[in-house]
Amino acid sequence: MGLKGKSRSAGAFDKQRALITELDKRSPIAEQFRTLRTNIQFASIDKKLKTILVTSSSPGEGKSTTAANLSIVLSQLGSNVLLVDADLRKPTVHFSFQVSNQTGLTNVVTGQAPLQATVAETAIANLDVLSSGPVPPNPSELLGSSKMKMFVEEASGLYDYIIFDTPPVNAVTDPQILAGLLDGTVLVIRSGRTEEEQAKKAVASLKKVEANLLGAVLNDRVLEESHNYDYYGEG
Amino acid sequence: MEEKISVKDILQTLRQRLGLIVIITAAAVALAAGISYVILTPVYEASTQLLVNQSAADSQQEFTSDELETSRELINTYSVIITSSRILDPALEELNLIRSVDELRSQVSVSDSEESQIVTIRVQDENPDAAVEIANTIGAVFQEDIIDIMNVDNVSLLSPAELEENPSPVAPDPVLNMGVAFVVGLVLAVGLAFLLEFLDRTIKSEEDVEEKLGIPILASISTMPPSRNAGDLTSTKKQRGRETYGA
C-alpha cells in the first residue's frame, strides 16, 4: 500500500522531504517551526491549546507541510502528539509519513475501528499519525457529527497535542465546522501566492464560526540575507 | 497600492524582478544590435572642404573684425546656395543620378568650421564611392557657379573627398543604437516590474498579514530547500511504514 501510494503520487518524495524539522533539526527552517511552536504555546494563557487546526485559504499553500512539521516540533519537546488528517477530500498525511491509509479517521469516527488501534506510530518519538481513512461521500457531515466531537474528546484524553490537517477554508466548509470544535486555528499563508482577497475571505469565514484564530504562518518566505545572518548564523 | 511606498519597497520590487529587468533590457539591446548590423543598410559619408577667401583686391589689407564678420556671413550664404537647386540640379545632371533634388538635398549637409573660412560639404550615401563622387561634384559645380551667382571668384577647393581604403559607415551607429535600446529597455522593464507589483495582490510579508488581515504572525517559514538529506528519512520511513502494517 505504501508503495502504491508512492507511485500514485509523484509528490511522495517531496512530501517526505518536507518533514524538514526531523531531517535537519539545525536548519533555519526547523528553527522557524520551533518559533511557531513557542508562539502557539504562548498564544493562549488561560486555557491550554490542545487541539489545533491547520488550514489555509486556497489549496497548495503548505497546510500539510506546516501541520506535519508543527506536530514534529511539538513531539520533540516530549509531548505526545497526534497528527490527524482531517482533509477528507485530498488526504496527504499518509504519503508524508508513509503509513497505511486503509483505516483512519473516518473509520474511527464512524465507530468501525478503535482509535488506539488505528493510529500509526511514526519514526519520530511521541508522534502518532491518524490518516484520513477511506474518503467518505459526506466529509462535512462526518466532521460536524457528534461522533466527531466524541473522537476529539477521546483523543484529547490520550494526547497532549492534536494537530488537524484540513482542506482549504475557501474551498469547502470542513475547516469551519472543525474550527468551532477545536481550541485553536492556524491559517497558513504562502508568501507571493496567497491573494489578499482570498486570505481576507478565509479570516472572515473562520471568524464567523468563532474559531480561535491564533494567527498566520507565512510560508515560503524569501528572507533577506541579513536576516539569515542575524538569526541563524550560528546554526 | 494605496499604501505609502518606501524606498525599501521599491528596491525590493526591483530585486525581485531583477531577472525580468535583465532579460527585457538584454532583449532590447540584442534587438537593436540585430537591426543595426543585419537589417539597416550602412551609410557612408564623404566630405569636401572649400576655402572661402576674401577677393584678391582686399587681400593686402589686414582683417578687421568687421570684415571677418562679412566673410562669415558669406559662408552662411554659401551654405544655403550649396543646397539650393541651382547647384544640385547641375550636379545631378553631371552625376547621371536618377534621384530627385530633394532626395539629394537630404543627403547633403553643409557646415562651417568655427571661426574659420572653411565650408565643409558632407554627403551621406549607401555607397561609399557615390558619396565621394557626389561630394566632389557638388564642390566643383559650386566652385564654378559661384562666379556667376555672386560675381566673385574666391572659393577654392581645399581638400577633395577621397575614398578611403576601408570606408567605415557613419550610420547606423550600432553602439549608439544599442545604448539607446539599453536605456529604453531598462525604463520599460522597470515600468513593467512596478506594473506587475501593482497588479500583484498577493500577500508577501509579515507586515502584509498584520496590516491587511489583522491577525498576528505566528512564524515565517523560509522557502524549503529542494533536497536536503532526503535519502535518510526515506529509508527510515519505509521501515517504519512496514512495521505499522504488521501491527
Side-chain angles (χ1 to χ4, degrees):
Chain A
M1 191 65 187
L3 280 173
K4 196 185 166 196
K6 224 170 161 184
S7 58
R8 199 167 47 193
S9 161
F13 277 111
D14 290 330
K15 296 265 186 248
Q16 284 204 326
R17 204 175 290 147
L19 302 179
I20 189 159
T21 44
E22 178 63 18
L23 292 167
D24 189 355
K25 291 178 179 136
R26 287 161 63 91
S27 70
I29 293 178
E31 184 56 46
Q32 289 158 358
F33 275 108
R34 286 193 283 272
T35 304
L36 173 63
R37 175 183 69 193
T38 308
N39 285 335
I40 285 176
Q41 286 175 326
F42 281 92
S44 179
I45 301 149
D46 295 331
K47 188 187 170 199
K48 198 191 171 207
L49 295 169
K50 214 173 169 78
T51 53
I52 296 159
L53 178 134
V54 178
T55 190
S56 67
S57 58
S58 318
E61 293 183 25
K63 289 177 297 294
S64 299
T65 307
T66 304
N69 283 295
L70 175 61
S71 307
I72 292 170
V73 289
L74 283 167
S75 71
Q76 281 167 352
L77 281 187
S79 310
N80 279 317
V81 180
L82 177 66
L83 173 60
V84 178
D85 196 345
D87 187 343
L88 301 178
R89 321 260 175 175
K90 208 179 143 197
T92 53
V93 169
H94 58 289
F95 290 139
S96 308
F97 289 91
Q98 293 287 295
V99 296
S100 161
N101 195 23
Q102 274 178 326
T103 55
L105 178 65
T106 50
N107 304 90
V108 175
V109 172
T110 55
Q112 292 167 6
L115 172 62
Q116 275 163 300
T118 313
V119 296
E121 279 181 32
T122 65
I124 299 147
N126 308 319
L127 177 60
D128 286 355
V129 162
L130 183 60
S131 57
S132 68
V135 175
N138 52 348
S140 307
E141 281 79 30
L142 190 91
L143 295 173
S145 66
S146 57
K147 282 180 178 171
M148 181 69 196
K149 208 169 180 179
M150 283 161 63
F151 159 76
V152 174
E153 276 163 21
E154 187 191 357
S156 300
L158 295 168
Y159 292 92
D160 299 315
Y161 291 101
I162 305 152
I163 311 299
F164 289 81
D165 186 8
T166 63
V169 179
N170 293 352
V172 289
T173 185
D174 302 11
Q176 275 181 292
I177 292 168
L178 267 181
L181 207 62
L182 307 178
D183 297 340
T185 299
V186 172
L187 185 68
V188 177
I189 288 170
R190 188 157 179 182
S191 175
R193 169 118 175 222
T194 306
E195 279 173 25
E196 195 187 318
E197 291 311 310
Q198 296 295 315
K200 278 182 177 163
K201 202 174 148 195
V203 170
S205 302
L206 291 169
K207 284 194 172 156
K208 205 182 286 171
V209 295
E210 288 176 359
N212 180 18
L213 186 55
L214 304 174
V217 172
L218 189 63
N219 207 3
D220 209 359
R221 173 93 169 101
V222 181
L223 283 181
E224 286 161 36
E225 277 170 41
S226 58
H227 278 110
N228 281 323
Y229 286 121
D230 285 347
Y231 294 107
Y232 315 113
E234 302 296 314
Chain B
M1 236 177 275
E2 306 89 350
E3 299 85 12
K4 51 186 186 264
I5 300 162
S6 71
V7 176
K8 202 182 154 199
D9 290 339
I10 292 172
L11 290 176
Q12 179 99 20
T13 303
L14 292 180
R15 202 165 57 182
Q16 271 178 353
R17 309 277 182 192
L18 191 64
L20 179 90
I21 292 171
V22 168
I23 289 168
I24 289 181
T25 309
V29 171
L31 189 71
I35 289 173
S36 301
Y37 285 112
V38 180
I39 296 173
L40 289 182
T41 325
V43 174
Y44 297 87
E45 189 181 81
S47 63
T48 299
Q49 286 187 314
L50 300 172
L51 179 65
V52 179
N53 223 339
Q54 292 295 71
S55 59
D58 300 333
S59 63
Q60 300 293 323
Q61 293 174 1
E62 280 177 34
F63 285 128
T64 65
S65 65
D66 214 27
E67 279 160 355
L68 200 63
E69 188 62 33
T70 314
S71 88
R72 305 257 313 132
E73 271 171 22
L74 260 177
I75 289 169
N76 286 335
T77 313
Y78 291 163
S79 301
V80 177
I81 292 169
I82 290 166
T83 51
S84 71
S85 320
R86 176 73 190 258
I87 302 295
L88 295 185
D89 266 337
L92 264 180
E93 247 167 64
E94 206 164 306
L95 288 161
N96 281 325
L97 283 175
I98 308 158
R99 206 171 284 188
S100 74
V101 175
D102 283 335
E103 274 178 289
L104 186 63
R105 187 177 291 131
S106 68
Q107 291 179 258
V108 180
S109 65
V110 180
S111 63
D112 55 284
S113 313
E114 223 168 298
E115 300 300 317
S116 77
Q117 302 175 23
I118 292 162
V119 176
T120 307
I121 302 170
R122 288 177 209 280
V123 176
Q124 295 192 340
D125 197 282
E126 289 167 14
N127 182 341
D129 292 318
V132 168
E133 214 178 313
I134 293 168
N136 284 335
T137 309
I138 291 175
V141 171
F142 174 69
Q143 214 181 339
E144 276 173 37
D145 277 17
I146 200 70
I147 304 169
D148 286 346
I149 297 167
M150 294 189 71
N151 275 324
V152 286
D153 180 14
N154 59 356
V155 175
S156 55
L157 189 63
L158 184 68
S159 72
E162 275 167 15
L163 184 62
E164 291 167 45
E165 260 182 50
N166 286 310
S168 56
V170 290
D173 187 342
V175 175
L176 179 74
N177 290 353
M178 277 149 65
V180 171
F182 176 79
V183 173
V184 172
L186 192 66
V187 169
L188 283 179
V190 169
L192 187 64
F194 281 109
L195 181 71
L196 287 175
E197 179 70 16
F198 179 74
L199 294 175
D200 185 356
R201 304 290 290 164
T202 61
I203 291 170
K204 284 186 203 62
S205 64
E206 292 83 350
E207 294 79 36
D208 283 352
V209 173
E210 282 165 2
E211 280 172 23
K212 290 168 185 166
L213 303 183
I215 58 172
I217 279 281
L218 295 171
S220 284
I221 313 295
S222 304
T223 305
M224 296 256 177
S227 70
R228 213 160 169 177
N229 302 343
D232 299 356
L233 196 73
T234 309
S235 55
T236 334
K237 282 282 145 289
K238 257 189 203 157
Q239 246 177 356
R240 181 52 68 164
R242 279 191 206 111
E243 263 174 49
T244 317
Y245 307 141

